[in-house]
Amino acid sequence: MAGFFERLRQGMARTREGLGDRIRTLIGGRQWSDALYDELEEILYEADLGYDAVDDILTRLKEDVRRRRPERAEEVLARLQDIMVSQLAPVAQPYRLGGQRPEVWMLVGVNGTGKTTTAGKLAERMKQQGFRVILGAADTFRAAATEQLMAWGERAGVDVVRQAEGADPAAVAFDTVKAAVARHLDLAILDTAGRLHNKRHLMQELEKIARVVGREVAGAPHQVFLVIDATTGQNGLEQARVFQDAVPVTGIVLTKLDGTAKGGVAFAIHRTLKLPIQLVGVGESLDDLMPFDPEAYVRAILGEVNLDSR
Amino acid sequence: MFDALTEKLQAVFKRMRSKGRLSEADVREALREVRLALLEADVNFKVVREFLDRVEKQAVGQDILESLTPAQGVIRIVRDELVELMGRTPERVHMAPNPPTVIYLVGLQGAGKTTVSAKLARMLRQQGRQPILVAADVYRPAAQEQLRVLGERIQVPVVGEPGKTPVELADLGIKASRRMARDVVIIDTAGRLHVDEELMRELEEMNRRVPAHEMLLVVDAMTGQDAVRVATAFRERLPLTGLIMTKLDGDARGGAALSIRQVTGLPIKLIGTGEKLEDLEPFNPERMASRILGMGDILTLIEKAEAAMDREGTQALAQKIEKADFTLDDFRAMIEQVKKLGPLSKVMEMMPGMSGQMAKLKDKVDDRSVVRIEAILNSMTKKERERPEILDGSRRLRIARGSGTTVQEVNRLIKQFEDVKKLMRQMKGKKGRARFGRMPFPPLG
């Protein structure tokens, strides 16, 4: 999983005040002092972990420090990492299909998080792995969303089922799944329109899409990815909660981690709602959509620490 | 109506002994709750710290006005300070003395630049300007197509040619504006990360060739702690003149607005409040302050009510209510008035306290139930609406059929109406005239 961390580090290297440098100057070679809790708290907050997660993590850490009385700051930091990584278990395995064919995957989320891009990349990746894939353009609301998905479909060599703008998205989903069944395909991936979770009618529309595909293929949708933008703050938690109520969300795709945002709200979502982070997006190219690696992610949140010497 | 923060603060003050004057310890304890509220709202960690230091200094030793509880007193100080920080007066998008005015929209991917471009063009056209749009996002697939579709919808020409660079497109936009006698050029740029050296340089180059009069950073209201870093980085490279905050129709509290304003000093000029192209509004610092604290947006609601309801109709209605000769016809008129405020769900969103647990109640107020009530009322004859007592079984059945509802629903409506009427009679008996200046909301849902 070196690739994942490498990419994250590249992203971080581009920032002028990378967190890595900060934590290294903070901790490097120093004696542990309780005054450093405040600094850790700040780092965790600035990564968008939110009050509950930060409070919980620091409480555990303090308890641990009281018991073990570590002397060096590095030891405390290593404990902190362990605590955080343990909260991100178990790790999900994306890019796998169960025994049933076709499987139906859905991408859901608020506006502008990268659903269409992720749908395109997922299709290309699964195709490369030898699966026969079809895409469904069920975002019939945003102007030219279908065209955007078709550009991805063309690139991946995957057909895109579409209807006119303004069509019923559930009808597009239905057509897509029907086509997947008729052509004996392995996987149908549905891109849906971005919707703010506090708009009830739009959430009902999403419920309907899931219901319709469930009627055509037993057990569908098999995967529902909630796409969350790494810049998202504490509202992400509410997003996850409401989307989970409407459709059976199976995991989080955390996009845009190549900026300076750390997407800590995904951490909060994982620990409160038990929704695993499945994939992370660290750039524009296909290879930049990667399986989630908790250890690397925690290192990215805290800044790169000399873990190799551990 | 109380929101979560007010309630929490009240609990804090209940535990305190000192009533008249706030001691340092009192204030500090209260501000711990405020801190939490601000962090929950995604205000930047450092900004929160500085902010609370300032508030603490102000609040310590303050006399709490007799009419206010200490909780409200502290909130008032906090809120006033928030408003102060975000700028007292709303800022406008300025026009150049010599047209065309060049407006750039820049920001991260997915902030809503393309949609805002079209919304801004529509707003300026409404104000009598002649805008032209430039689709300079050549990277995201179909981004140009998206703007073209939106441009068609609002009847604003869109410049966008495949194969051209963003710099060339900006140039073409200026030329097209001269040719077509357009006075505002709105340039929709590609979303980019502030750490993307190459793309940031491209924006600098565009601005050199076609200098901006307004360069607006588009920021998603859901943005967390990173907002400050993003805005600072953009500002270091580009002559930003302000912000547009999008997706405020969501339930994010939008603390990024405060953070960015505080750190960069840039004014927030406009806010996006919905998916429709007319959903772009001037920024109002007072409302934003209430929102960040989770206090709802009662100001907007009042303003909307004032704009939407016709005064004479309301007064006539109030008089009828006073005399308690309130008929189903008046009830229908009342629903009409309330409907002018917009979808009920949106109205509810603006009410204080609707953000938290009360949100569940919101689900129960379904706009469709209003439609059904209207259908029932419209299926009655004029006579029936004026004298509901004549509504017998067969009339009720006819009304149910005519409105596509059930007799039970018709019954329920009539029952509710009678309850309201009874209530009015009681109110009339108890309290004076002054009570009836305001119109009660019809019992919905």
Side-chain angles (χ1 to χ4, degrees):
Chain A
M1 214 41 68
F4 174 90
F5 189 50
E6 207 33 56
R7 290 290 317 195
L8 279 182
R9 197 166 53 184
Q10 275 171 22
M12 281 178 23
R14 284 189 293 181
T15 74
R16 262 166 254 176
E17 42 143 24
L19 285 173
D21 295 325
R22 206 168 104 201
I23 203 156
R24 230 177 288 133
T25 38
L26 192 70
I27 302 283
R30 278 171 67 176
Q31 289 277 98
W32 173 255
S33 122
D34 284 356
L36 290 173
Y37 281 131
D38 285 350
E39 307 280 349
L40 290 180
E41 183 189 27
E42 183 172 334
I43 288 170
L44 294 176
Y45 266 118
E46 294 210 321
D48 284 315
L49 266 77
Y51 175 79
D52 288 338
V54 174
D55 191 50
D56 178 47
I57 291 168
L58 288 181
T59 309
R60 282 168 197 244
L61 183 67
K62 283 174 188 170
E63 175 62 37
D64 198 84
V65 167
R66 249 197 309 277
R67 256 198 340 248
R68 300 190 191 205
R69 304 192 172 279
E71 285 185 3
R72 307 192 58 75
E74 268 99 348
E75 293 170 57
V76 177
L77 201 60
R79 284 304 300 146
L80 175 63
Q81 280 170 342
D82 289 347
I83 289 168
M84 289 175 74
V85 170
S86 72
Q87 294 198 1
L88 290 171
V91 186
Q93 294 290 337
Y95 303 143
R96 295 240 177 111
L97 292 184
Q100 201 191 2
R101 293 293 182 272
E103 269 206 8
V104 181
W105 293 3
M106 264 173 91
L107 290 134
V108 302
V110 299
N111 314 65
T113 56
K115 284 175 296 302
T116 307
T117 305
T118 305
K121 285 182 183 176
L122 271 179
E124 192 169 350
R125 172 56 47 111
M126 293 305 278
K127 170 113 197 250
Q128 278 179 359
Q129 303 213 342
F131 296 110
R132 285 161 307 162
V133 185
I134 194 165
L135 278 163
D139 179 357
T140 56
F141 181 80
R142 178 163 59 92
T146 301
E147 282 77 2
Q148 188 183 346
L149 192 66
M150 285 180 68
W152 277 103
E154 213 165 281
R155 199 182 122 165
V158 166
D159 283 345
V160 179
V161 175
R162 58 179 297 191
Q163 284 187 17
E165 198 184 308
D168 180 1
V172 180
F174 176 85
D175 285 355
T176 311
V177 174
K178 272 276 188 213
V181 172
R183 299 188 207 168
H184 305 289
L185 303 178
D186 298 310
L187 175 64
I189 299 175
L190 300 171
D191 177 31
T192 66
R195 63 199 74 226
L196 291 172
H197 51 287
N198 60 342
K199 303 205 167 163
R200 194 167 158 72
H201 61 290
L202 293 180
M203 296 311 287
Q204 281 168 344
E205 181 187 275
L206 202 61
E207 283 169 26
K208 183 178 165 190
I209 297 174
R211 210 162 50 230
V212 165
V213 300
R215 229 165 20 219
E216 290 314 303
V217 176
H222 303 84
Q223 296 266 32
V224 178
F225 296 107
L226 175 64
V227 183
I228 290 198
D229 181 328
T231 59
T232 308
Q234 294 313 298
N235 190 245
L237 207 51
E238 191 58 20
Q239 288 172 25
R241 229 174 248 136
V242 179
F243 272 97
Q244 203 179 20
D245 268 353
V247 285
V249 177
T250 51
I252 304 289
V253 179
L254 188 57
T255 59
K256 306 184 199 172
L257 262 178
D258 45 337
T260 45
K262 295 286 164 272
V265 74
F267 185 97
I269 292 171
H270 192 134
R271 63 177 282 286
T272 33
L273 301 176
K274 302 282 167 262
L275 271 181
I277 307 170
Q278 299 219 10
L279 293 158
V280 295
V282 293
E284 314 253 335
S285 77
L286 174 62
D287 289 336
D288 295 334
L289 185 68
M290 321 179 101
F292 177 66
D293 172 0
E295 200 147 314
Y297 176 63
V298 167
R299 278 158 75 184
I301 286 181
L302 294 174
E304 186 202 357
V305 197
N306 197 1
L307 281 179
D308 310 325
S309 66
R310 205 158 50 129
Chain B
M1 235 185 257
F2 292 108
D3 60 277
L5 181 61
T6 317
E7 272 170 24
K8 274 187 202 149
L9 285 182
Q10 255 157 0
V12 170
F13 285 108
K14 230 178 236 166
R15 278 184 267 123
M16 288 178 187
R17 283 150 294 145
S18 57
K19 287 278 177 224
R21 264 174 119 78
L22 294 178
S23 76
E24 221 174 299
D26 295 345
V27 171
R28 214 166 295 132
E29 194 173 343
L31 290 188
R32 209 170 303 143
E33 294 296 337
V34 175
R35 173 178 185 261
L36 210 60
L38 294 176
L39 285 171
E40 280 297 297
D42 292 318
V43 179
N44 182 271
F45 188 79
K46 286 193 194 95
V47 173
V48 171
R49 199 158 49 195
E50 286 163 26
F51 177 79
L52 290 181
D53 281 350
R54 218 175 359 243
V55 171
E56 193 180 322
K57 276 193 201 103
Q58 271 194 43
V60 170
Q62 271 245 343
D63 284 315
I64 292 308
L65 295 174
E66 276 176 26
S67 58
L68 293 170
T69 69
Q72 280 163 328
V74 169
I75 285 192
R76 207 200 55 224
I77 294 169
V78 170
R79 201 173 159 280
D80 286 355
E81 187 67 14
L82 277 179
V83 173
E84 196 62 48
L85 285 181
M86 282 187 289
R88 282 242 162 246
T89 44
E91 282 254 9
R92 301 180 33 225
V93 175
H94 296 287
M95 292 294 131
N98 299 316
T101 303
V102 177
I103 303 174
Y104 279 85
L105 296 171
V106 301
L108 299 179
Q109 289 95 336
K113 287 173 296 304
T114 306
T115 307
V116 164
S117 302
K119 284 182 177 179
L120 183 59
R122 186 193 167 276
M123 177 183 253
L124 292 173
R125 218 176 70 112
Q126 213 83 347
Q127 294 168 1
R129 304 277 168 185
Q130 299 288 321
I132 187 168
L133 285 159
V134 180
D137 180 356
V138 299
Y139 303 105
R140 177 162 60 93
Q144 289 186 315
E145 175 66 18
Q146 185 184 350
L147 193 62
R148 197 156 30 240
V149 172
L150 295 175
E152 246 165 59
R153 226 174 270 168
I154 54 170
Q155 293 163 358
V156 169
V158 178
V159 177
E161 275 176 49
K164 296 268 190 248
T165 67
V167 179
E168 288 166 345
L169 284 165
D171 239 355
L172 281 176
I174 291 292
K175 284 188 186 122
S177 76
R178 299 235 163 84
R179 199 174 57 242
M180 299 163 80
R182 294 267 151 178
D183 55 5
V184 186
V185 181
I186 300 171
I187 304 177
D188 174 31
T189 67
R192 65 201 72 215
L193 283 169
H194 50 296
V195 290
D196 192 323
E197 184 53 37
E198 200 180 316
L199 286 181
M200 290 306 277
R201 211 177 295 139
E202 177 192 277
L203 275 181
E204 287 173 329
E205 178 60 24
M206 285 172 87
N207 187 51
R208 249 194 305 276
R209 280 278 275 282
V210 178
H213 298 101
E214 285 272 9
M215 184 161 300
L216 302 169
L217 180 68
V218 181
V219 181
D220 186 326
M222 292 177 268
T223 314
Q225 300 283 323
D226 202 41
V228 165
R229 248 169 274 151
V230 173
T232 314
F234 268 92
R235 189 178 166 73
E236 271 171 18
R237 304 291 293 264
L238 301 161
L240 293 184
T241 56
L243 304 179
I244 297 181
M245 188 154 250
T246 59
K247 305 181 204 172
L248 272 163
D249 47 332
D251 56 6
R253 303 242 294 271
L258 177 70
S259 310
I260 296 178
R261 168 78 204 201
Q262 169 73 350
V263 173
T264 66
L266 290 168
I268 299 155
K269 298 203 166 182
L270 295 164
I271 55 170
T273 55
E275 292 192 322
K276 290 200 287 298
L277 289 172
E278 62 262 32
D279 295 330
L280 186 70
E281 293 171 20
F283 173 73
N284 183 315
E286 301 202 359
R287 284 174 204 160
M288 197 68 217
S290 298
R291 185 182 175 123
I292 288 174
L293 291 173
M295 294 169 73
D297 193 359
I298 203 77
L299 268 176
T300 306
L301 191 61
I302 293 168
E303 209 165 79
K304 275 202 172 169
E306 278 171 355
M309 297 194 175
D310 82 272
R311 208 158 274 277
E312 279 172 40
T314 324
Q315 270 168 9
L317 204 57
Q319 267 170 17
K320 287 197 165 188
I321 292 170
E322 205 170 332
K323 285 188 213 133
D325 67 349
F326 184 65
T327 68
L328 278 168
D329 242 347
D330 302 321
F331 188 44
R332 189 169 69 154
M334 214 158 106
I335 289 178
E336 269 308 305
Q337 296 269 6
V338 173
K339 259 178 58 183
K340 283 187 202 157
L341 290 175
L344 267 185
S345 46
K346 222 170 168 168
V347 173
M348 300 283 279
E349 270 162 34
M350 289 185 270
M351 308 263 257
M354 277 296 155
S355 37
Q357 297 165 324
M358 293 282 278
K360 282 186 188 109
L361 188 79
K362 194 175 81 194
D363 292 345
K364 292 198 178 125
V365 183
D366 192 341
D367 281 299
R368 270 174 308 184
S369 72
V370 185
V371 175
R372 294 174 88 84
I373 290 172
E374 271 200 302
I376 293 172
L377 291 171
N378 288 337
S379 298
M380 295 177 182
T381 64
K382 181 111 183 113
K383 201 168 148 197
E384 284 165 346
R385 282 196 297 265
E386 274 163 11
R387 297 178 51 208
E389 56 275 15
I390 65 170
L391 285 166
D392 56 20
S394 92
R395 280 178 192 267
R396 288 180 191 209
L397 183 64
R398 191 205 77 240
I399 290 163
R401 282 193 181 139
S403 58
T405 56
T406 60
V407 176
Q408 283 89 337
E409 278 174 276
V410 176
N411 287 342
R412 200 183 315 141
L413 175 67
I414 294 165
K415 171 92 173 48
Q416 278 176 345
F417 169 74
E418 260 146 26
D419 287 347
V420 170
K421 221 172 147 176
K422 213 181 286 163
L423 197 73
M424 283 172 178
R425 237 175 254 131
Q426 283 169 2
M427 278 164 71
K428 191 190 167 207
K430 265 190 208 155
K431 312 221 171 153
R433 291 176 62 104
R435 291 290 299 179
F436 299 105
R438 277 225 177 130
M439 211 174 58
F441 278 69
L444 297 168

